[in-house]
Amino acid sequence: MNIYDIAELAGVSIATVSRVVNDSPMVSEKTKRRVRKVMEENNYTPNVFARGLGLDSMKTVGLMCPNVADAYMARAVAYLEQNLKEYGYDCILYCSGYDDEERRVAVNSILQKRIDALVLIGSSYAEDDEDSEKVEYIREAAKQVPVFMMNGCIRGENIYCALCNDFQAAHMAVTELIQTGKEDILFLSDSHSYSANQKLKGYQQALRDAGMPVNEKLCVYAENRIDRVRDLLLSRNDLMFDAVFATEDGLAIGALKYAKKRNLSVPRDISIIGYNNSELSVCCDPELSTVDSRGERLCKIIIDSMMLRLKNREIRSKVYANGFLVRRETTDF
Amino acid sequence: MNIYDIAELAGVSIATVSRVVNDSPMVSEKTKRRVRKVMEENNYTPNVFARGLGLDSMKTVGLMCPNVADAYMARAVAYLEQNLKEYGYDCILYCSGYDDEERRVAVNSILQKRIDALVLIGSSYAEDDEDSEKVEYIREAAKQVPVFMMNGCIRGENIYCALCNDFQAAHMAVTELIQTGKEDILFLSDSHSYSANQKLKGYQQALRDAGMPVNEKLCVYAENRIDRVRDLLLSRNDLMFDAVFATEDGLAIGALKYAKKRNLSVPRDISIIGYNNSELSVCCDPELSTVDSRGERLCKIIIDSMMLRLKNREIRSKVYANGFLVRRETTDF
DNA sequence: CTGAAAGCGCTAACAC
DNA sequence: GTGTTAGCGCTTTCAG
């Protein structure tokens, strides 16, 4: 059943049918009704390919992230998909992995689908060094479609970024720790992404602002796996700390497991703050204080800007949201 | 840059270019090389829409689930996407929500994208009553594309199901509980899906097989939210139980929180078993014994069958995988 | 082994 | 308001 069939059955031309499909105002209500009736009776739906060919768009946006199995990204994808759908856009999903070459390939593949916009989810798409050659493929992509980065930041034409102000959030969280009397605060991270580095800077600045020393040794990196983190901390007898600021909830829980193994009381002997306010943070015991990094807010910003951008309106190329601390049992307050 | 440009530059006809693109054997290696060179030099990629129009396929599969933010579904989506990509298929993602009407709409929307296959993730797509009118829209969809159900089961032409043998898994888990001397085992669930009902039957059968009574009161349903479950159990003073078999890890953790609040020792006073072997199960304290419901295995089965099916081979319409118990601290063993 | 040409189903400019 | 028609870029007979 195609447009010709409908046209014939309705006794009009295909142009008219097309107009009805696109709800053009230049068709009389009467014919519209008639054509619509035929379409419904025959359960007609326009062929998306033909439509795409003509319009060079299929109303699809590409969603790309290193790994949807990650809770943070999954939440973002869920939110974006949900809302994009309401604007009539479908999503094609692409998990790129964390490897640079894989990513380049992934972006090129997804571009071939003639998506209307691309959103890159997660801070791993941007190294700290904004001008790195490594992200040239993203600038290249932006020549074809508008690129939206969630928690990443690359300066460039047609690239739009929405980020949590990680510096501010980390500063706030660490300051909180300091105020409860903690003196040796461990910075625990699993990455050197732009975002992770912002958190590090916030951590360091908070210490300086409080007139405390910044001990390089207290900055440790570990794979984001609970058992690994626990074992690593257990093995580092050289480290003395009475608080942990982790850049991911998973890391924080690793620290919690470490504390338990060491028979340390939380938060008395050791306070812990995580990041992302994920489901994990309420599973553990005691429950984890954590920074809410405003995932939903960022998604919303991205969708709103995208819709404006697709109408060729001017939009801001960089928007921040402030994180806030969710206080639970792993900190005093 | 389209097929005509390439044809001209390579000094051949568009038909030949098309053949090269599709790696047809009826082109001499020599011309193939020449054409390929031109394509690469000009960075040519065929227009997917035009291609779709001709082939009536864009090598895309539709992935549908109620909610990707759910860890189980996110993992499934991640796995499927990853592997489908290797076969040259892209994924369009559609989160349908849990409402019946939404689902119907979702399936129809996704079908309009002319996907090559549809996979329905999660047991919520199938009610226990296999012949329910409610799932007619799925049978309807199967008339257009092969439908693959992960953990759902509907009998029908062109519908293929891969499921965890939840009956067996539940039976095994509950039997384990019984063997450690537990007598009042609570069945805790959040749904009446096909899958949830299989678990219930497994639970009941295990009790019967052990010559124990099946107490209807010990079968409770709650929303899958840690705090809700905890509060619900706290409020049910009429319930006496020394073990919990939960159909989701989240529910089990709710029970764990309940135990803690009540100052019950786990697993001595109360043993707990969850379901899905999710990340949550190792976050909590003590760590959760849980049924591994073989998500990856099911995904793999689905992909393998899909590839066969798309080559018009015969495949089995229903395949089971057996679950197994991951023993951790919430049970004795 | 290669080329010419007829679609695929729709949009949009143009004519009436 | 409505119809005619020329594309959109590719696949696929059918000839040669």
Side-chain angles (χ1 to χ4, degrees):
Chain A
M1 187 69 30
N2 63 27
I3 200 170
Y4 292 96
D5 301 324
I6 301 297
E8 184 156 1
L9 288 171
V12 296
S13 73
I14 60 162
T16 300
V17 177
S18 175
R19 289 191 187 103
V20 173
V21 166
N22 295 289
D23 203 23
S24 155
M26 308 191 298
V27 185
S28 72
E29 273 307 319
K30 207 171 140 195
T31 12
K32 264 193 189 172
R33 266 198 299 280
R34 185 151 42 95
V35 174
R36 287 223 178 88
K37 184 144 171 280
V38 176
M39 297 199 304
E40 275 167 31
E41 282 170 0
N42 294 275
N43 213 293
Y44 163 77
T45 60
N47 180 307
V48 276
F49 299 146
R51 213 148 185 231
L53 233 202
L55 299 173
D56 199 29
S57 152
M58 226 169 77
K59 293 261 256 176
T60 337
V61 348
L63 259 33
M64 195 157 138
C65 66
N67 178 18
V68 245
D70 176 276
Y72 180 81
M73 297 170 202
R75 265 155 74 190
V77 168
Y79 190 92
L80 291 169
E81 194 273 342
Q82 183 85 38
N83 289 277
L84 250 11
K85 192 162 44 192
E86 279 165 23
Y87 285 103
Y89 286 85
D90 287 324
C91 295
I92 112 155
L93 176 69
Y94 224 97
C95 303
S96 67
Y98 289 92
D99 177 73
D100 277 325
E101 186 52 28
E102 284 175 342
R103 273 177 187 151
R104 215 183 310 276
V105 173
V107 168
N108 287 328
S109 308
I110 207 171
L111 284 182
Q112 295 186 18
K113 289 289 172 172
R114 311 249 161 177
I115 50 180
D116 295 305
L118 174 61
V119 7
L120 264 23
I121 301 166
S123 58
S124 69
Y125 288 102
E127 299 297 313
D128 194 13
D129 176 4
E130 291 195 18
D131 300 313
S132 162
E133 278 281 304
K134 280 190 177 177
V135 296
E136 199 48 39
Y137 70 100
I138 296 180
R139 293 210 180 78
E140 220 36 63
K143 287 179 184 162
Q144 294 187 44
V145 295
V147 173
F148 297 83
M149 303 190 67
M150 174 166 176
N151 261 332
C153 187
I154 294 176
R155 211 171 293 279
E157 192 72 34
N158 214 15
I159 302 180
Y160 308 95
C161 308
L163 330 115
C164 175
N165 191 339
D166 293 309
F167 175 88
Q168 163 273 141
H171 189 285
M172 170 201 60
V174 174
T175 300
E176 184 102 1
L177 255 12
I178 295 170
Q179 282 168 353
T180 61
K182 301 296 176 177
E183 298 195 320
D184 301 297
I185 303 170
L186 187 74
F187 175 85
L188 189 55
S189 180
D190 67 337
S191 138
H192 292 274
S193 67
Y194 174 73
S195 163
N197 286 328
Q198 288 301 112
K199 294 171 194 168
L200 176 59
K201 287 179 186 164
Y203 158 83
Q204 293 170 331
Q205 192 59 47
L207 292 177
R208 279 191 222 104
D209 288 350
M212 291 166 63
V214 175
N215 182 350
E216 297 256 321
K217 275 186 67 181
L218 284 180
C219 175
V220 346
Y221 288 84
E223 190 187 342
N224 189 357
R225 282 187 40 186
I226 296 173
D227 50 350
R228 293 285 168 81
V229 174
R230 182 199 55 203
D231 295 344
L232 177 70
L233 294 182
L234 247 17
S235 72
R236 295 288 302 272
N237 289 312
D238 56 318
L239 256 31
M240 299 286 283
F241 53 94
D242 54 11
V244 176
F245 170 64
T247 63
E248 298 284 339
D249 281 341
L251 299 168
I253 291 182
L256 197 54
K257 297 271 179 187
Y258 153 84
K260 192 197 168 196
K261 202 87 175 177
R262 272 263 191 283
N263 263 313
L264 265 22
S265 153
V266 178
R268 211 195 51 214
D269 301 332
I270 182 173
S271 285
I272 302 175
I273 292 182
Y275 215 98
N276 278 349
N277 194 14
S278 67
E279 203 182 0
L280 303 188
S281 64
V282 293
C283 284
C284 53
D285 181 41
E287 292 185 7
L288 190 63
S289 290
T290 180
V291 172
D292 187 303
S293 49
R294 311 297 303 282
E296 286 217 350
R297 174 88 190 114
L298 296 183
C299 289
K300 186 164 169 24
I301 290 172
I302 286 176
I303 289 178
D304 290 347
S305 353
M306 187 185 294
M307 292 308 131
L308 289 173
R309 176 63 188 72
L310 291 175
K311 286 179 193 145
N312 286 311
R313 304 278 190 66
E314 285 282 322
I315 58 173
R316 293 164 65 193
S317 63
K318 195 168 178 178
V319 181
Y320 280 107
N322 278 333
F324 60 88
L325 186 61
V326 179
R327 294 179 176 81
R328 284 196 277 252
E329 303 166 1
T330 57
T331 49
D332 289 312
F333 56 96
Chain B
M1 184 72 31
N2 62 26
I3 201 170
Y4 293 95
D5 301 325
I6 300 297
E8 185 155 1
L9 289 170
V12 295
S13 73
I14 59 163
T16 300
V17 176
S18 174
R19 290 191 187 103
V20 173
V21 166
N22 294 289
D23 202 24
S24 155
M26 309 190 298
V27 184
S28 72
E29 272 308 317
K30 206 171 139 193
T31 10
K32 263 192 190 174
R33 266 197 299 280
R34 185 153 41 97
V35 174
R36 287 223 178 89
K37 184 146 172 280
V38 176
M39 296 200 304
E40 275 167 32
E41 282 171 1
N42 294 276
N43 213 292
Y44 164 75
T45 60
N47 180 306
V48 276
F49 298 146
R51 210 141 188 242
L53 232 202
L55 300 173
D56 197 30
S57 152
M58 226 169 79
K59 292 261 254 173
T60 338
V61 348
L63 259 34
M64 195 157 137
C65 66
N67 179 18
V68 245
D70 176 277
Y72 180 81
M73 297 170 202
R75 265 156 74 191
V77 168
Y79 190 92
L80 292 168
E81 193 273 342
Q82 183 85 35
N83 290 276
L84 250 10
K85 191 161 48 194
E86 279 165 23
Y87 285 102
Y89 286 85
D90 287 324
C91 295
I92 113 157
L93 177 69
Y94 224 95
C95 304
S96 67
Y98 289 91
D99 178 73
D100 276 325
E101 186 51 29
E102 284 176 343
R103 274 178 184 151
R104 213 182 311 276
V105 172
V107 168
N108 286 328
S109 307
I110 208 171
L111 283 182
Q112 296 187 15
K113 289 289 172 172
R114 311 247 163 182
I115 49 180
D116 295 304
L118 173 61
V119 8
L120 264 22
I121 301 165
S123 58
S124 68
Y125 289 103
E127 297 298 312
D128 193 14
D129 176 4
E130 292 194 15
D131 300 311
S132 163
E133 276 282 303
K134 280 190 177 176
V135 296
E136 199 48 40
Y137 70 101
I138 295 181
R139 292 210 181 79
E140 216 41 58
K143 288 179 183 162
Q144 294 187 43
V145 296
V147 173
F148 296 84
M149 304 191 65
M150 174 167 175
N151 261 333
C153 186
I154 294 177
R155 212 171 293 278
E157 192 71 36
N158 214 14
I159 302 179
Y160 307 96
C161 309
L163 328 114
C164 176
N165 191 339
D166 293 308
F167 175 87
Q168 164 272 143
H171 188 285
M172 171 201 59
V174 173
T175 300
E176 183 103 2
L177 254 13
I178 295 171
Q179 281 168 352
T180 62
K182 300 298 177 178
E183 300 195 322
D184 301 297
I185 303 170
L186 187 75
F187 175 85
L188 190 55
S189 179
D190 68 336
S191 134
H192 293 274
S193 66
Y194 174 72
S195 163
N197 286 329
Q198 287 302 111
K199 294 171 195 167
L200 176 59
K201 287 178 187 166
Y203 157 85
Q204 293 170 331
Q205 191 59 46
L207 293 177
R208 278 190 224 106
D209 288 351
M212 291 166 63
V214 175
N215 181 349
E216 297 257 319
K217 275 186 68 180
L218 284 179
C219 174
V220 347
Y221 288 84
E223 190 185 343
N224 189 356
R225 281 187 43 185
I226 296 172
D227 49 350
R228 292 284 169 82
V229 174
R230 181 199 56 204
D231 295 344
L232 176 70
L233 294 181
L234 247 17
S235 73
R236 296 289 301 270
N237 289 313
D238 54 320
L239 256 30
M240 299 286 282
F241 53 95
D242 54 11
V244 176
F245 170 64
T247 63
E248 297 285 339
D249 281 341
L251 298 168
I253 292 183
L256 197 54
K257 298 271 180 188
Y258 153 84
K260 192 197 169 197
K261 203 85 173 178
R262 273 264 191 282
N263 263 314
L264 264 21
S265 156
V266 178
R268 211 195 52 213
D269 300 333
I270 182 172
S271 285
I272 301 175
I273 292 183
Y275 215 99
N276 278 348
N277 194 14
S278 67
E279 204 182 1
L280 303 189
S281 65
V282 292
C283 283
C284 53
D285 182 39
E287 293 185 7
L288 190 63
S289 290
T290 180
V291 172
D292 187 303
S293 49
R294 310 297 303 283
E296 286 215 351
R297 176 87 191 111
L298 296 184
C299 289
K300 188 165 167 18
I301 291 172
I302 286 177
I303 290 177
D304 291 348
S305 352
M306 188 186 295
M307 291 309 133
L308 289 173
R309 177 62 187 74
L310 291 175
K311 287 177 192 147
N312 285 311
R313 306 279 190 66
E314 284 284 320
I315 57 172
R316 293 163 64 193
S317 62
K318 194 167 178 179
V319 182
Y320 280 105
N322 279 332
F324 61 88
L325 185 62
V326 180
R327 293 179 176 81
R328 284 196 278 253
E329 303 167 2
T330 55
T331 48
D332 289 311
F333 56 92

